Amino acid sequence: MRHDVVAVVPTYNNGRTLRDVVLGIREYLRDVIVVDDGSTDDTPSVLSSLGDAVRVIRHPSNRGKGNALKTGLSEARRSGYRYAITIDSDGQHFPSDIPSFLSEIEKTPGAVLVGARNISAENMPGKNSFANRFSNFWYRLETGNRLSDTQSGFRLYPVQDTDYSKWWYTGKYEFELEAIVFASWRGVTVRNIPVKVYYQPPGERVSHFRPFRDFFRISVLNTVLVLVCALWIWPRNFLRNFSRKNIGAFYRRHIANATESNFRIAAAVALGVFMGIVPIWGYQMITAVAIAHFLRLNKVITVVASNISIPPMIPLILYGSYYTGCKVLGRPCSLSMGDISLENTFSVLEQYVTGSFIFAAACSLLAGLLTWALLCLFRRRRSTWA
């Protein structure tokens, strides 16, 4: 048994299955931390009957799965463990898959491993399958990485590099998505490994997933994460790759040796600049790609150009949009903190939104014309319009 790995089991009113889960884990791991998240059934007595086989942490009231996981992962970190394997207490996971995690982490030390379940397994609730596909889509958009299962609670986390009690913000089911998104943003490898799954028949299953409320919370989280991507992560990644070597490779592949005409390359730049300025924060890049696909423009050039909204440029874009709106609507261009009212807020917003589209169009036209002129001067001759 590895002594640098501990199992963390969050539980809430799963007293019927908890004992078997813990005893199953103990066949493969010496140490188990169970976080009782305010259970009101016989969970406390079940845990007492396990004696020294388990370390118990109790929340006085139910705080949500995310908070229970953060408590358990933080305790694992304080106790000096290198990794923590999280496993649900409802009996859906097979502790016999633990050796697979231990074997795989040897290949990619420091990675986050997420158990990939068979989504078509017998008795799997339809809401779970939909939630997983929904989460997979947003995870790929936010990180650029593809996972087949982002919702599985059977995972391995490296715990020494991250204090989960301080760095993560959500406290319910959405924590598990947030954790792998933030890990990916920090450069940690996140990947799936196949695991078995068992879903009890509907009449026997104890589930605390609330479709409407939890879907809403996950949707809010994804909106925030996409906004963070647009304002920070995508521009940061773009700038990290902004080297002479990468610029040269980009120019040779997408401009010098591209099959597109000068006009179509300039049009892709113009579209990217326009979408980078219009006020649909968080959805600029994906909208730009969709329009570029529809117009059959170079999507890579469009995405690069849309990064005009990197943090150093944002104040200029905001001011340019607001100033343009003021001039177009014939209103004074002044912002006063002493006149904060609902009417004044709507007026300022109207000026900004109106101006942003006009400002975006003007910048787009200018960028497109400048790009076209430079291509005509320096790129080897090609058909100008085709």
Side-chain angles (χ1 to χ4, degrees):
M1 291 188 179
R2 288 189 54 162
H3 300 306
D4 62 341
V5 183
V6 63
V8 172
V9 183
T11 188
Y12 175 63
N13 288 349
N14 282 120
R16 186 171 58 83
T17 54
L18 178 59
R19 180 182 179 84
D20 288 340
V21 170
V22 171
L23 293 179
I25 293 170
R26 288 271 295 176
E27 294 183 22
Y28 305 97
L29 293 176
R30 183 188 64 179
D31 301 323
V32 182
I33 298 172
V34 173
V35 182
D36 179 6
D37 191 33
S39 295
T40 56
D41 63 353
D42 63 342
T43 293
S45 62
V46 171
L47 292 172
S48 296
S49 70
L50 289 168
D52 296 335
V54 63
R55 187 188 317 179
V56 179
I57 302 174
R58 286 192 173 90
H59 290 170
S61 60
N62 181 249
R63 294 167 51 191
K65 184 181 182 182
N67 283 318
L69 285 169
K70 285 189 280 187
T71 296
L73 294 172
S74 297
E75 178 62 23
R77 182 175 186 269
R78 285 192 296 270
S79 299
Y81 296 100
R82 186 180 181 187
Y83 299 108
I85 292 180
T86 62
I87 183 168
D88 292 348
S89 62
D90 59 2
Q92 68 169 283
H93 302 141
F94 287 77
S96 57
D97 281 320
I98 289 175
S100 297
F101 284 91
L102 302 181
S103 174
E104 289 295 321
I105 200 61
E106 294 295 331
K107 302 175 184 177
T108 50
V112 174
L113 302 179
V114 181
R117 302 161 295 175
N118 177 9
I119 302 302
S120 60
E122 184 179 3
N123 295 322
M124 183 168 190
K127 61 186 179 183
N128 291 40
S129 179
F130 172 79
N132 191 58
R133 290 194 297 268
F134 180 78
S135 179
N136 293 349
F137 166 79
W138 287 107
Y139 175 78
R140 186 181 183 191
L141 174 65
E142 291 151 4
T143 67
N145 301 325
R146 182 194 294 271
L147 292 180
S148 61
D149 190 348
T150 54
Q151 290 288 294
S152 172
F154 201 178
R155 303 180 174 198
L156 182 147
Y157 291 96
V159 294
Q160 286 305 310
D161 296 333
T162 303
D163 185 350
Y164 290 88
S165 66
K166 296 180 179 179
W167 287 94
W168 313 97
Y169 305 103
T170 54
K172 306 294 184 181
Y173 279 97
E174 66 273 18
F175 166 81
E176 290 175 310
L177 173 62
E178 180 194 12
I180 57 175
V181 169
F182 272 74
S184 183
W185 285 351
R186 296 175 66 189
V188 177
T189 298
V190 181
R191 63 188 185 89
N192 285 133
I193 67 168
V195 297
K196 300 182 290 294
V197 65
Y198 168 70
Y199 284 100
Q200 298 169 335
E204 301 176 20
R205 185 186 310 123
V206 177
S207 174
H208 307 295
F209 185 82
R210 301 158 298 181
F212 177 79
R213 190 176 301 181
D214 289 320
F215 274 137
F216 175 77
R217 294 175 65 91
I218 292 171
S219 297
V220 170
L221 171 64
N222 280 313
T223 299
V224 173
L225 292 177
V226 170
L227 185 61
V228 172
C229 279
L231 297 180
W232 178 247
I233 299 300
W234 292 329
R236 181 203 67 179
N237 294 344
F238 174 74
L239 290 176
R240 282 180 176 177
N241 293 321
F242 203 71
S243 65
R244 179 179 295 180
K245 179 180 179 181
N246 289 335
I247 292 173
F250 175 84
Y251 174 78
R252 288 190 297 272
R253 180 175 180 181
H254 296 285
I255 297 178
N257 299 322
T259 58
E260 292 96 337
S261 67
N262 294 345
F263 173 77
R264 294 190 69 79
I265 292 176
V269 171
L271 173 61
V273 170
F274 180 83
M275 296 309 305
I277 295 176
V278 293
I280 52 172
W281 303 106
Y283 298 92
Q284 293 166 306
M285 205 168 291
I286 191 172
T287 305
V289 170
I291 296 175
H293 178 77
F294 177 76
L295 296 178
R296 297 183 179 179
L297 298 176
N298 188 305
K299 291 187 279 292
V300 175
I301 293 176
T302 300
V303 168
V304 171
S306 71
N307 277 282
I308 190 175
S309 57
I310 58 177
M313 293 293 294
I314 290 175
L316 297 176
I317 291 173
L318 293 176
Y319 179 76
S321 299
Y322 177 68
Y323 181 83
T324 302
C326 292
K327 295 303 180 181
V328 169
L329 297 175
R331 298 175 185 172
C333 191
S334 62
L335 289 172
S336 175
M337 295 301 293
D339 185 23
I340 299 178
S341 63
L342 187 62
E343 181 180 357
N344 187 51
T345 300
F346 277 116
S347 176
V348 169
L349 186 61
E350 181 186 11
Q351 291 166 226
Y352 165 68
V353 172
T354 301
S356 65
F357 280 92
I358 299 172
F359 184 66
C363 291
S364 170
L365 180 61
L366 179 62
L369 289 174
L370 181 61
T371 301
W372 180 74
L374 291 173
L375 289 173
C376 289
L377 285 174
F378 297 108
R379 193 184 184 214
R380 64 173 180 262
R381 294 187 62 85
R382 289 180 181 271
S383 173
T384 304
W385 301 96

